[in-house]
Amino acid sequence: MATTPAIDNAHVRAWVAEVASLCEPDAIVVCDGSEQERDRLTALAVATGVLIPLNQEKLPGCYLHRSDPSDVARTEHLTFVCPPTADQAGPNNNWLAPDAAREKLSALYRGAMRGRTMYVVPFIMGPANSPFSKVGVEITDSVYVALNMRIMTRMGAIATRQLGDSNDFTRCLHSLGDLSPDRRFICHFPDSNEIWSVGSGYGGNALLGKKCLALRIASALGRKEGWLAEHMLILGITRPDGHKFYITGAFPSACGKTNLAMLQPPASMPGWKLETIGDDIAWLRPGPDGRLYAVNPEAGFFGVAPGTNSKTNGNAMISIARDTIYTNVALQPDGTVWWEGHDDEPQPGMLDWRGRPFDAASGEKAAHPNSRFTAPAYQCPSISVDWEKPEGVPIAAMLFGARRQRRVPLVYEAESWEHGTFLGATLSSETTAAATGKVGVLRRDPMAMQPFCGYNFGDYFDHWLDIGKQLSHPPKIFRVNWFRTDSQGRFLWPGFGDNLRVLQWILQRCEGKGEARETAIGLIPVEGSIDVSGLSLLPDAMKQLLAVDPAEWYEAIGLQSEYFEKFGDHIPGGIWHQHANLVRRVTGLA
Ligand code: OXD
Ligand code: MN
């Protein structure tokens, strides 16, 4: 059996020894995050077929990984939150009693690392030395995970230093197990600050700093400590008049957060400057000045490849041109990569994401719809100078968006923090390929956190309301919907760079300017107050995009109360109060 290497922190050392005696690895490697280590692990991954080198002239430092075909997305039905009672996890989570979860997973971990190396990966979520930051240590038997964690977090010696001799770190245990979906579990123990994952090598299931720590565990920690962990991008916007704003946006997976976070102003809006702070997760805290401050806990992007091209996201294309790990994209004969929606035509003789010759006539996709790139954030041309500010950036506006063909207008504004919390709490979206299951089905996704909130949604809404009470200058809250279609299913709004036109109105509202009319659901832009000059929209598009149809909303209020009732008395009065307001306004009844 492997001997435990020298680890200064006694708590980490004891835990590593305990895991080693359970999992029985052949060797133990403690990661330091150095370039030499990256090169060594990469060479090993190539030698063992875990990574395929790409064309090093065209894509320097880039590699392709093909995952097991049954392991290509987050598996929400196999993801559990394990506080002492089911009520604490809430109906929004799968729950296992902590002891039962430990027993079940211990059996799967027993001897699981025989013949494998165990990597000990210390990491920081958040900028080093920020009061926002949290340290984790992931133990994994996947070299792919270790290499991805190096990109997605501040990994290695920097984290070991930050931890010092403290016992305050999230214990993240990961084993590929046998990759069988029947023996795949991702369990979170918020009370003991632990994550146990087995049976998957896929991003959100295996890179435990991301969804598991920075959202599920962090949301529960945030409730205890007075902050919020959210599934949000963070974007800096400087207007031509020099005013700088920061906004966040919560959107479900694969609904364009990365594109919005890296937005490039359209040619019609010269003089605007957009800066990326984060594309997936925001940690938010009330600041001493009564504003809400955000940091991005991650250090890289784990973005969806299909649909990414220089028109939809030119900054991403540059970010992923070097030192990037691609997962489940197609491989071209010249050693470059391809996916549906790529700039270039595919080369003949391409291999699909499983490594089989691609046959366009088969109707199958060349890249998996949830294929991904893992790229360091500093490679992004639009990365903000403020992205590692320890105190974070002050947020002027927060957006809640979803993929909705009907009912929900292009944009509307909440009347208050409480109303905005209600708009977030009532978010629902058509499902995407980011999780296993059917695509395009409408499901409720409060704050885009349905898969990621580590405790009862009712208590979470209450925590949101509490945070609002601590803010003398809260951000304004908006709902947006880039995905509304007309009766023939055509998108009414061009999206991408032109979303900046909507952001322009939002920023005006933040300054008490911009024209809005009161409606049953909130404040809607007056037609003409969003600048659409130069756009070739379908006739009547703006009218349809800004319409509020009481009959459609009548249907919504019934669905909302049915949903909230599932949470019993956990739903705070403020949310019911907002619901009652909506009912009154939609039905016209006093
Ligand atoms: C992600 C997701 O990977 O939301 O960011 O699935
Ligand atoms: Mn996400």
Side-chain angles (χ1 to χ4, degrees), residues 74 202 204 210-211 231 252-254 257 280 302 372 434 452:
R74 283 183 290 100
Y202 172 75
K210 190 174 178 63
K211 302 300 184 180
H231 194 203
S253 307
K257 277 197 302 300
D280 195 44
F302 182 66
R372 299 276 178 153
F452 307 122

Side-chain angles (χ1 to χ4, degrees), residues 135-381:
V135 174
V137 180
E138 177 158 354
I139 293 180
T140 177
D141 54 8
S142 159
V143 67
Y144 167 82
V145 167
L147 286 166
N148 274 269
M149 286 293 285
R150 186 179 190 281
I151 300 176
M152 294 305 297
T153 70
R154 281 104 178 154
M155 185 271 250
I158 188 173
T160 305
R161 264 198 310 278
Q162 178 134 333
L163 182 62
D165 55 12
S166 166
N167 192 19
D168 185 12
F169 65 97
T170 307
R171 289 164 164 79
C172 307
L173 174 54
H174 170 252
S175 172
L176 294 168
D178 63 4
L179 287 180
S180 161
D182 297 333
R183 285 175 290 281
R184 179 175 300 161
F185 295 94
I186 301 100
C187 292
H188 305 72
F189 303 91
D191 288 38
S192 54
N193 197 9
E194 284 175 287
I195 301 159
W196 287 19
S197 165
V198 63
S200 168
Y202 172 75
N205 294 336
L207 310 179
L208 300 185
K210 190 174 178 63
K211 302 300 184 180
C212 300
L213 194 166
L215 287 174
R216 297 194 192 95
I217 291 287
S219 60
L221 278 177
R223 182 177 177 220
K224 268 193 243 158
E225 299 173 359
W227 53 281
L228 291 166
E230 296 298 327
H231 194 203
M232 289 179 172
L233 67 96
I234 313 169
L235 174 68
I237 311 175
T238 310
R239 274 196 319 216
D241 65 6
H243 262 71
K244 185 160 188 180
F245 301 82
Y246 298 95
I247 68 166
T248 64
F251 296 78
S253 307
C255 288
K257 277 197 302 300
T258 305
N259 293 342
L260 184 55
M262 298 182 189
L263 199 74
Q264 288 173 303
S268 60
M269 296 179 79
W272 287 73
K273 184 171 178 217
L274 301 175
E275 292 170 69
T276 309
I277 305 233
D279 79 325
D280 195 44
I281 301 177
W283 285 358
L284 302 149
R285 274 175 201 262
D289 58 359
R291 294 190 290 174
L292 189 63
Y293 283 76
V295 301
N296 170 14
E298 301 190 276
F301 307 119
F302 182 66
V304 177
T308 307
N309 57 53
S310 44
K311 187 168 154 283
T312 58
N313 196 338
N315 285 321
M317 291 305 283
I318 297 170
S319 311
I320 63 180
R322 57 182 311 120
D323 295 333
T324 294
I325 299 174
Y326 290 93
T327 302
N328 294 338
V329 297
L331 177 62
Q332 310 208 85
D334 73 345
T336 60
V337 284
W338 192 86
W339 47 80
E340 279 68 23
H342 196 280
D343 285 311
D344 305 333
E345 285 299 312
Q347 296 166 9
M350 185 167 70
L351 300 180
D352 74 3
W353 64 276
R354 297 192 205 199
R356 304 173 307 188
F358 177 61
D359 172 11
S362 71
E364 287 189 33
K365 305 268 192 232
H368 188 276
N370 191 37
S371 53
R372 299 276 178 153
F373 50 77
T374 318
Y378 60 76
Q379 289 184 181
C380 180

